[in-house]
Amino acid sequence: MKKYFNLFDFNQRVDYKTEVLSGLTVAMALIPEAVAFAFIAGLSPLTGLYAAFMMGFVTSILGGRPGMISGATGAVAVVIVSLAASHGVEYVFAAVVLAGILQVAAGTLRLGKLMRLVPHPVIFGFVNGLAIIIFMSQLDQFKDATGNWLTGPTLYILLGLVALTMLIIWGLPKLTKAVPASLTAILVVFGLVTALNIDTKTVGDMADIKGGFPPFHLPSVPLTFETLQIIFPYAAIVAGVGLIESLLTLNIIDEITETRGRGNKEAVAQGIANMLSGVFSGMGGCAMIGQSLINISSGARARLSGIVASVMLLVFIMFGSSLIEQVPMAALTGLMIMVSIGTFEWASLKTWNKMPKSDVFLMILVTLVTAVLHNLALAVLVGVILAALFFAWDNAKRIRARKYIDENGVKHYEMFGPLFFASTTAFADKFDVQNDPEEVIIDFAESRVVDMSAIEALNKITERYQKAGKKVHLKHLSPDCRKLLQNADTLIDINVIEDPTYKLAVDEI
């Protein structure tokens, strides 16, 4: 259990000032996101804020990636919105608890290693799509309560404050890194708006964030199989979406910091956080790439920043709501726009002429699915499936044979490339059964028999030679290929003629 629950990395040097200031910045950035995602899910703002606190606090302590921030997310919100509308918030809490149990199980079974199957173009597409989502979500701040675009002085003031925020975040690090640029930008814009009494949108215009400590509340749902049938599909999707987004965010932070997080430990931490969120009146969530990048770009690298962010968020809710509600939304909008610019993999645009066309297609497709459908799990799943199909097609074309007849009149087929379901047709086309001599050797020294389709292909080719009255021998089968053939012996008839020279008799395979 130590590998999951060691709380701190004591051998890591911690810059306490940077961690605390970065955590404070993240705490303020968490508020509008949590409130907005709660609205998307059709829940009260405090439900999103409580989830942000619980997710951030637990994963910062127990998670496998120091510096990564978790909270209430849009990916989870879009999943549970229909459950909230049809059955109410209590079923949402129950689904979140069940999702947490599934995530703990996934981490315990070490399923985090499956992230190795996600190819780089899919990660590029995921990140670029997420950057577009973050940017597009900020456009709502430029609309009024009726959904119409702002005009006149109101729009110009908002644009000016957003531009000032972005300028500070971009320019301050070039002058000094003594304080986080994001926090400085928020404080400067907040001070300017307060000093000049500028009329502009604030956090308080979104919702009242005042509340107490998250109340402990077991979901009030019937403990029946019917309830399980209702919540399980939502819980499974929440668990899957949460793990995919969290582990991909972990990989991105790994690349930025040139360190390595622990995916299975993070999966367990996400599960525990969701379980606690569900029983402390939260909507659940997962890792947040935007807030994580704010944290990392501010210089935070340890667990302390995430702990400070979640604790300060709770302090704001309980004691500082009147102050935080006065923070201009323009400052937070400018911050998130800079996050979206930093999130986008601009380098991916330069590789279009250098990457294989299939990789470019994958990247664009995953970007579009992520940005248009806002379904991160579906985007990654589609990308992985297509990448696997492209890989299979590419390898299917690699099967080839070198043919020659030796001094004894025996024809040799030296196979190259894997023999599997996609290459069986090309494999069969290599042989000239009618015109071949009486004895044929198929040499697999540079090939492998991979699956059942390959076994069936071998069965068919030996049958064809047998019907033509000719002998065929298999040579240089690897031990795993022999085992595969042996296991399939009861299913299909492997027609391999005994040949003591190569010691590949039927009873040896």
Side-chain angles (χ1 to χ4, degrees):
M1 300 298 286
K2 181 180 178 182
K3 61 185 176 183
Y4 292 124
F5 298 111
N6 56 317
L7 298 187
F8 296 98
D9 302 316
F10 292 106
N11 59 343
Q12 181 180 15
R13 290 188 60 186
V14 177
D15 185 338
Y16 290 99
K17 184 187 77 171
T18 299
E19 295 290 320
V20 171
L21 293 178
S22 180
L24 184 60
T25 306
V26 171
M28 286 190 282
L30 280 170
I31 293 172
E33 297 283 296
V35 171
F37 294 143
F39 283 150
I40 290 174
L43 304 172
S44 70
L46 283 176
T47 305
L49 291 168
Y50 288 153
F53 160 71
M54 193 60 67
M55 295 297 302
F57 186 73
V58 174
T59 57
S60 292
I61 294 176
L62 301 179
R65 174 66 268 175
M68 192 166 77
I69 304 297
S70 294
T73 59
V76 172
V78 297
V79 173
I80 62 176
V81 59
S82 59
L83 178 63
S86 60
H87 290 85
V89 69
E90 296 295 335
Y91 279 81
V92 170
F93 293 152
V96 169
V97 172
L98 181 55
I101 294 173
L102 295 176
Q103 288 177 329
V104 170
T108 304
L109 295 173
R110 304 182 65 79
L111 299 183
K113 61 186 177 183
L114 294 178
M115 291 308 297
R116 301 172 189 169
L117 300 177
V118 181
H120 222 62
V122 174
I123 294 178
F124 274 173
F126 168 83
V127 171
N128 292 347
L130 209 52
I132 294 172
I133 290 176
I134 294 172
F135 176 79
M136 296 300 293
S137 66
Q138 304 311 307
L139 298 182
D140 290 337
Q141 302 305 325
F142 296 90
K143 298 178 181 179
D144 58 23
T146 61
N148 296 318
W149 293 100
L150 298 176
T151 58
T154 303
L155 175 62
Y156 302 144
I157 290 172
L158 182 60
L159 286 172
L161 294 174
V162 169
L164 176 61
T165 304
M166 295 173 65
L167 180 63
I168 294 173
I169 294 174
W170 172 78
L172 185 60
K174 301 180 185 301
L175 302 176
T176 178
K177 295 185 179 180
V179 291
S182 301
L183 178 59
T184 303
I186 293 173
L187 293 178
V188 168
V189 173
F190 181 42
L192 182 65
V193 169
T194 303
L196 300 181
N197 196 25
I198 298 174
D199 183 19
T200 187
K201 269 200 268 189
T202 63
V203 172
D205 294 329
M206 291 187 65
D208 180 8
I209 68 168
K210 183 175 180 56
F213 190 85
F216 178 78
H217 172 71
L218 292 176
S220 179
V221 297
L223 299 178
T224 62
F225 182 70
E226 182 181 357
T227 299
L228 182 63
Q229 286 181 306
I230 294 171
I231 67 173
F232 184 81
Y234 294 97
I237 297 174
V238 167
V241 168
L243 287 181
I244 289 174
E245 187 164 354
S246 298
L247 295 178
L248 283 178
T249 302
L250 182 146
N251 287 343
I252 293 166
I253 302 302
D254 281 356
E255 289 186 9
I256 295 173
T257 60
E258 297 182 352
T259 58
R260 185 176 180 182
R262 299 167 65 181
N264 293 311
K265 184 177 181 182
E266 184 62 36
V268 172
Q270 291 287 334
I272 295 173
N274 272 308
M275 290 164 62
L276 291 175
S277 178
V279 298
F280 279 94
S281 307
M283 59 177 277
C286 59
M288 307 180 75
I289 189 170
Q291 279 67 18
S292 296
L293 290 175
I294 291 173
N295 197 40
I296 295 300
S297 63
S298 298
R301 294 293 184 272
R303 299 179 185 275
L304 182 59
S305 56
I307 296 172
V308 169
S310 55
V311 171
M312 288 307 300
L313 175 62
L314 183 60
V315 170
F316 293 155
I317 295 171
M318 297 177 65
F319 307 109
S321 59
S322 59
L323 180 63
I324 297 302
E325 286 172 3
Q326 297 176 38
V327 173
M329 284 303 302
L332 299 177
T333 299
L335 171 61
M336 295 309 295
I337 290 176
M338 290 301 290
V339 168
S340 69
I341 293 173
T343 301
F344 196 91
E345 285 282 357
W346 299 100
S348 64
L349 301 180
K350 301 177 182 178
T351 60
W352 281 24
N353 295 329
K354 301 175 183 177
M355 294 170 61
K357 292 182 179 179
S358 59
D359 286 350
V360 174
F361 174 78
L362 270 181
M363 184 174 66
I364 295 174
L365 179 64
V366 173
T367 298
L368 291 176
V369 173
T370 303
V372 175
L373 300 182
H374 291 205
N375 191 328
L376 308 181
L378 177 62
V380 173
L381 184 62
V382 168
V384 170
I385 291 174
L386 286 179
L389 291 176
F390 289 150
F391 177 80
W393 177 256
D394 186 55
N395 277 273
K397 296 185 293 183
R398 296 180 185 275
I399 191 78
R400 58 193 189 279
R402 184 168 62 188
K403 312 168 189 178
Y404 66 92
I405 299 176
D406 64 20
E407 64 277 6
N408 297 318
V410 178
K411 186 167 184 179
H412 293 251
Y413 287 88
E414 294 183 351
M415 306 306 303
F416 296 85
L419 179 57
F420 67 115
F421 68 91
S423 61
T424 53
T425 301
F427 170 79
D429 291 341
K430 305 295 182 187
F431 299 93
D432 187 3
V433 177
Q434 297 303 320
N435 297 318
D436 278 349
E438 296 300 314
E439 193 169 359
V440 172
I441 294 173
I442 307 176
D443 191 339
F444 285 91
E446 301 296 333
S447 180
R448 287 188 68 250
V449 178
V450 176
D451 57 11
M452 183 61 68
S453 298
I455 296 174
E456 179 62 24
L458 287 177
N459 188 55
K460 287 181 178 178
I461 198 66
T462 54
E463 279 185 348
R464 289 171 59 192
Y465 277 109
Q466 196 172 47
K467 289 179 180 178
K470 300 174 182 180
K471 294 182 179 181
V472 62
H473 308 271
L474 304 185
K475 180 182 179 182
H476 289 150
L477 282 171
S478 62
D480 57 333
C481 296
R482 296 187 194 186
K483 183 177 180 181
L484 192 63
L485 292 175
Q486 187 177 23
N487 291 339
D489 189 48
T490 58
L491 301 177
I492 59 177
D493 181 23
I494 304 298
N495 296 304
V496 182
I497 306 301
E498 181 174 350
D499 184 345
T501 303
Y502 304 120
K503 299 181 180 179
L504 292 175
V506 175
D507 58 346
E508 291 182 0
I509 295 177

